[in-house]
């Protein structure tokens, strides 16, 4: 019998998906390394090392905006409000007319971004920019209708939790900030990564009168409605492993049937549990496979310098003693990646954190990204994305089906070069080509001011994270190119302002 | 005591406004001459005279699309659907890849547009275009939740009645049409007039991936949030009358205090009722003044060739026998304008038609256009728009306040030249400078492809109405310029398609 399992590698929405979507494949864009199991690969990016402590604590002021729950309805419920958190930093702001850089929050609380996102802090002085970080509705302290649990348990209250409402929130907050700080003529540059990068590019397209330009880092805006082949994501994971080590890639490719073989034995799950030192006894071989897919995808997505987690995993796999069998090598890769531990939490990414719960809803309503694999088109077993099944599963979980075509209806994506060649301006789509999500990104310039800035070796959202002294020159060059482009937008804006 | 009265000249939303907004001034953009009391000035544009009967009846096919009630919410109620009507005409369509011209319905049932809008029919052969006319939600046969009365009487069901939902409807219908008729690569040009013209320009800005370009006729997109001076509308009404006849203008200017003087007499209202041959006894002098404002504004807005109703009114006023007093002259103007009748219905525009009821809600929720007059800045008495009062009145009528800043938040408008100079493309803003609503229109080119096409002598929506053999050359030239511009968009699109 063919092995089937879920590829839920993306660490954030797994808990509920696990039970309902076991035959479908859904990966979510993360921008937030600190929320992932791969955070250790990014500890060197701890802002306390890179920014002065005061830059985090003293110069950042937390404020709240009374936000409308429903911007697109005039029924009485839509007038309900919630307190939306935003954080602001005046340290380098040149005052009236000087730019505002606004980081658009995504699927997590905004405090995390203050620590992991470096683009604003690192460049505020250069741009004389006011820094603004706005929390996405339904995360952190910006949850309408009480707690996250309360908001999400009610079919009616969670309906307002979507991207169109979120970017309308950002529009309102930014207009408010301009008024509050007498910055009517300040150009606003919006910045976001991953899902937040999508929001940034969509914000520029929908609200050009509010944002002058957008830096959309690792934004897979084309991973909807089958614009991107389903296997785009896993093909890149595969490619990154293969480039790191052909033998490592081969070992992984062969491991899945080995797992099935052992699982089919008498007490096979006990053998696997012992072999992989799982903290709890495995409930299924799929649990183990999910965990491993998770490790490989995460390592590839966050395959950042200087550690390059894919290299770390492969060093473990390839470096095991000669006599080690395939599963032993795979385990050695896990150990190398996760560091030595008394046991490994194969279920550990399935906790119902706010991000897990929130993003699971977002992907099951609007952000339907069809990720899957075919037969032998990646190093993973086949697991095609089945839209009908996905819809059915989401409907059974939430009572309403997703709207899988809405993202392209509302924001576009099909024939993007044809469409945006003569429409819009001032968007940077930045990608690292080793980021699996770059498969759904914009990788070619569309016009003179809708620009792709890619790095051959980059990983997910690398350009907008906190910079480090050890950053390779190609990363520094990518950032400098972005700064230069934004400088150009702002210079033109000021010139236009004087006309 | 200073005379105060409401300037509710715009015939469509008066019934409810009358009772609640008596101190505020609210004018609405009409595109639909046939719905106005000035329809007689346009009878020569009766399509039965200008288009063959078959072009209206046989070639137009009525279809319905199952539309989502709420595009921006994923709560269970938002999944309710309604049948949205659209009408389609294949007669001149060149098939796959040939253009689609879509008329975006506004504040009335779509059948009326089939009769009054000529731009699509007249040019379908030239463009080999599929003609599509889409009805606006909550009008005609596209009313969710049962009848208009049922939909509008419930605070919850009427909340979905707004422009953002309406243009999302159009997005869905147009995508559906492309799929249904295998027209994936057909460029879509959206066309609209007045409120529908606003929708057309906003549609191009928000859904550039669906519409290649927009012809926005007489779209006062700048008449929000005080971008346009309050008295813009009435200043143009005044100017048009003054240009037609200085003495006519003077008579009107002086008439208001005359009306007050008579009204203040014993049985003054009876005298006025008799003098103006009102069908019912006047309830107040304000009723008469409203009616007269309505006549003048309507005459100016629809001051179309060959009859030029302003000239007709002034001919009545100026042509009265020498001994005629001011109010006698005013009445002579009314008679000239409305033709001889046994009595005149001063309350006649206040019936709760679908358009009256619908547009009243739209202006009291979202489409808040601050129209007013100051002291001696028009030929009308002062009646400044008071936003606070307006909000209060709307809230008392509907239970929820309007959101007067939402239009500019969502669609822009402030600093439009600065914003759109380097963003967007392919919009024609057409205006007739004698149309009072042109005061809130875009009258200068913004970029190479966001173009203003104005005529010095034109009135409201003239370019998109059914053409007539007697049309003056400046009107023919305006239309030809529009056709030429659209030809250019389509040619570039086809060239891009081949790259």
């Amino acid at each position: 019998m063919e092995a089937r399992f879920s590829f839920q590698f993306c660490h954030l929405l797994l808990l509920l998906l696990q039970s309902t979507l076991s035959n479908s494949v859904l990966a979510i864009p993360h921008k937030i390394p600190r929320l992932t199991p791969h955070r250790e690969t990014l500890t060197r990016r701890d802002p306390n090392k890179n920014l002065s402590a005061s830059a985090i604590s003293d110069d950042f002021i937390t404020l709240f905006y009374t936000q409308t729950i429903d911007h697109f309805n005039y029924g009485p419920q839509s007038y309900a409000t919630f307190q939306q958190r935003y954080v602001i930093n005046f340290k380098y702001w040149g005052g009236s007319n000087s730019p505002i850089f606004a980081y658009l929050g995504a699927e997590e609380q905004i405090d995390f971004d203050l620590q992991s996102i470096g683009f604003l802090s690192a460049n505020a002085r250069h741009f004389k920019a006011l820094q603004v970080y706005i929390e996405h509705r339904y995360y952190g302290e910006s949850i309408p209708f009480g707690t996250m649990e309360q908001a999400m348990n009610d079919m009616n209250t969670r309906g307002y939790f979507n991207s169109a409402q979120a970017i309308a929130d950002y529009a309102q907050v930014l207009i408010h900030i301009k008024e509050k700080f007498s910055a009517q003529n300040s150009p606003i540059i919006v910045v976001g990564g991953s899902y937040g990068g999508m929001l940034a590019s969509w914000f520029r397209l929908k609200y050009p009168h509010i944002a002058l330009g957008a830096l959309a880092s690792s934004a897979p805006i084309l991973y909807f409605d089958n614009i991107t082949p389903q296997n785009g994501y896993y093909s890149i994971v595969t490619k990154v492993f293969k480039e790191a080590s052909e033998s490592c890639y081969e070992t992984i490719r062969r491991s899945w049937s080995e797992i099935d073989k052992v699982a089919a034995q008498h007490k096979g799950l006990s053998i696997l549990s012992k072999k992989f030192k799982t903290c709890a006894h495995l409930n299924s071989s799929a649990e183990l496979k999910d965990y491993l897919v998770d490790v490989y995808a995460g390592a590839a997505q966050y395959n950042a310098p200087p550690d390059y987690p894919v290299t770390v995993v492969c060093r473990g796999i390839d470096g095991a003693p000669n006599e080690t069998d395939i599963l032993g090598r795979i385990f050695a890769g896990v150990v190398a990646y996760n560091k030595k531990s008394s046991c490994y939490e194969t279920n550990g990414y399935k906790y119902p954190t706010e991000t897990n719960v929130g993003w699971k809803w977002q992907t099951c309503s609007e952000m339907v990204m069809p990720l899957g694999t075919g037969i032998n088109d990646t190093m993973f077993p086949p697991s095609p994305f089945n839209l009908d099944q996905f819809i059915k599963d989401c409907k059974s979980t939430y009572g309403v089906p997703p709207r899988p075509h809405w993202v392209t209806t509302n924001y576009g994506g099909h024939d993007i070069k044809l469409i945006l060649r003569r429409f819009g301006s001032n968007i940077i789509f930045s990608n690292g080509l080793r980021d699996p999500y770059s498969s759904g990104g914009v990788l070619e310039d569309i016009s003179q001011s809708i620009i792709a800035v890619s790095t051959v070796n980059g990983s997910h959202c690398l350009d907008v994270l906190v910079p480090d002294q050890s950053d390779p020159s190609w990363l520094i060059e990518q950032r400098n190119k972005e700064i230069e482009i934004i400088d150009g937008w702002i210079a033109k804006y000021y010139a236009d302002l004087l006309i």
Side-chain angles (χ1 to χ4, degrees), chain A:
Chain A
M1 197 185 146
E2 182 90 278
R4 300 203 71 185
F5 64 94
S6 62
F7 269 19
Q8 297 131 349
F9 67 89
C10 253
H11 333 122
L12 294 183
L13 72 158
L14 300 188
L15 188 75
L16 293 169
L17 275 179
Q18 179 71 1
S19 58
T20 56
L21 303 177
S22 54
N23 288 324
S24 65
V25 174
L26 185 70
I28 62 158
H30 301 197
K31 65 182 190 311
I32 306 308
R34 288 182 57 90
L35 271 188
T36 75
H38 318 289
R39 73 186 62 166
E40 65 275 17
T41 67
L42 289 135
T43 45
R44 64 154 186 91
R45 297 187 180 281
D46 185 320
N48 296 319
K49 285 192 193 163
N50 298 284
L51 293 174
S52 72
S54 73
I56 295 296
S57 53
D58 294 348
D59 298 325
F60 287 81
I61 300 159
T62 298
L63 296 166
F64 288 86
Y65 176 74
T66 301
Q67 188 61 267
T68 303
I69 187 67
D70 191 348
H71 302 282
F72 306 103
N73 194 314
Y74 292 82
Q77 274 113 23
S78 66
Y79 283 78
T81 57
F82 67 98
Q83 294 301 301
Q84 181 165 24
R85 179 165 55 160
Y86 64 102
V87 177
I88 202 159
N89 183 330
F90 293 94
K91 189 170 181 185
Y92 298 109
W93 194 36
S96 162
N97 281 18
S98 291
I100 297 171
F101 275 59
Y103 177 80
L104 305 185
E107 74 280 21
E108 67 164 2
Q109 59 193 87
I110 201 72
D111 340 26
F112 293 166
D113 297 314
L114 292 177
Q115 296 170 39
S116 61
I117 297 300
F119 193 85
L120 279 66
S121 288
N123 298 301
R125 187 196 297 263
H126 169 81
F127 288 111
K128 295 188 170 49
L130 180 67
Q131 298 174 55
V132 181
Y133 301 77
I134 316 176
E135 191 161 68
H136 192 290
R137 55 165 59 197
Y138 289 78
Y139 292 105
E141 296 186 15
S142 303
I143 299 173
F145 308 109
T147 65
M148 187 67 169
E149 207 183 342
Q150 288 168 328
M152 292 306 295
N153 282 350
D154 184 328
M155 280 182 89
N156 290 296
T157 56
R158 71 182 172 232
Y160 305 103
F161 184 1
N162 60 65
S163 67
Q165 300 283 1
I167 63 173
D169 291 342
Y170 296 148
Q172 298 270 32
V173 171
L174 290 170
I175 286 175
H176 170 75
I177 287 172
K178 279 194 158 188
E179 278 168 10
K180 191 178 167 88
F181 301 110
S182 303
Q184 303 293 355
N185 289 325
S186 292
I188 295 178
I189 306 297
V190 291
V191 179
S194 199
Y195 166 55
M198 300 198 244
L199 295 179
S201 67
W202 294 338
F203 190 84
R204 168 63 181 158
L205 287 173
K206 294 287 191 187
Y207 298 91
H209 46 287
I210 300 175
L212 173 67
L215 170 55
S217 175
S218 300
I221 59 164
L222 306 181
Y223 224 132
F224 295 95
D225 226 2
N226 292 319
I227 299 170
T228 296
Q230 281 189 21
N231 70 355
Y233 186 98
Y234 292 103
S235 296
I236 293 186
V237 177
T238 301
K239 179 175 151 287
V240 172
F241 271 84
K242 202 170 179 181
E243 283 173 3
S245 157
E246 186 87 27
S247 61
C248 173
Y249 150 80
E250 268 300 333
T251 306
I252 294 168
R253 201 178 64 76
R254 289 183 193 166
S255 67
W256 313 107
S257 59
E258 287 298 311
I259 291 171
D260 291 335
K261 218 183 286 173
V262 177
Q265 293 172 21
H266 178 63
K267 294 201 172 172
L269 287 179
S270 296
I271 300 168
L272 288 172
S273 299
K274 204 175 282 175
K275 189 137 197 156
F276 282 88
K277 275 195 176 176
T278 65
C279 295
H281 192 275
L282 287 166
N283 290 311
S284 66
S285 62
E287 183 184 320
L288 176 63
K289 291 189 216 167
D290 283 357
Y291 172 71
L292 293 172
V293 172
D294 202 25
V295 167
Y296 306 139
Q301 190 165 319
Y302 297 101
N303 192 35
D307 298 327
Y308 294 107
V310 170
T311 308
V312 171
V313 172
C314 285
R315 210 180 286 140
I317 289 174
D318 291 341
N322 279 346
E323 64 279 13
T324 318
D325 65 5
I326 287 183
L327 295 190
R329 287 184 183 274
I330 296 294
F331 180 60
V334 169
V335 172
Y337 182 70
N338 280 328
K339 308 285 182 303
K340 275 210 168 123
S341 177
S342 59
C343 69
Y344 296 91
E345 188 64 85
T346 49
N347 245 324
Y349 314 131
K350 296 175 179 119
Y351 298 117
T353 63
E354 203 174 274
T355 296
N356 288 358
V357 172
W359 187 245
K360 148 77 174 153
W361 160 252
Q362 290 196 260
T363 51
C364 241
S365 51
E366 180 183 38
M367 293 290 143
V368 181
M369 305 173 76
L371 273 81
T373 52
I375 296 166
N376 283 332
D377 63 356
T378 69
M379 69 182 185
F380 301 99
S383 181
F385 181 84
N386 180 332
L387 182 61
D388 291 340
Q389 186 61 43
F390 182 81
I391 290 172
K392 218 172 126 184
D393 292 340
C394 287
K395 196 175 171 193
S396 112
T397 306
Y398 291 113
V400 290
R403 292 173 179 159
H405 308 298
W406 175 245
V407 163
T408 55
T409 298
N410 194 25
Y411 302 114
H414 292 286
D415 303 314
I416 194 166
K417 288 186 78 172
L418 179 65
I419 301 303
L420 294 186
R421 183 186 156 88
R422 300 190 190 277
F423 184 93
S425 56
N426 298 3
I427 304 174
I428 298 169
F429 289 103
S430 66
N431 279 282
L433 299 184
R434 285 188 173 163
D435 170 14
Y437 272 122
S438 69
S439 55
V442 174
L443 305 179
E444 289 178 49
D445 290 356
I446 291 177
S447 67
Q448 282 202 318
S449 70
I450 301 182
I451 306 281
V453 179
S454 307
T455 58
V456 174
N457 297 312
S459 58
H460 201 55
C461 299
L462 202 49
D463 54 333
V464 295
L465 298 178
V466 174
D468 188 83
Q469 285 181 345
S470 72
D471 285 334
S473 60
W474 52 261
L475 176 55
I476 295 165
E477 279 162 24
Q478 181 187 31
R479 291 200 196 102
N480 287 345
K481 186 165 179 196
E482 291 163 4
I483 292 163
E484 194 185 319
I485 292 167
I486 296 170
D487 271 333
W489 298 343
I490 293 173
K492 273 187 185 150
Y493 169 84
Y494 286 137
D496 290 347
L497 199 61
L498 295 174
I499 292 170

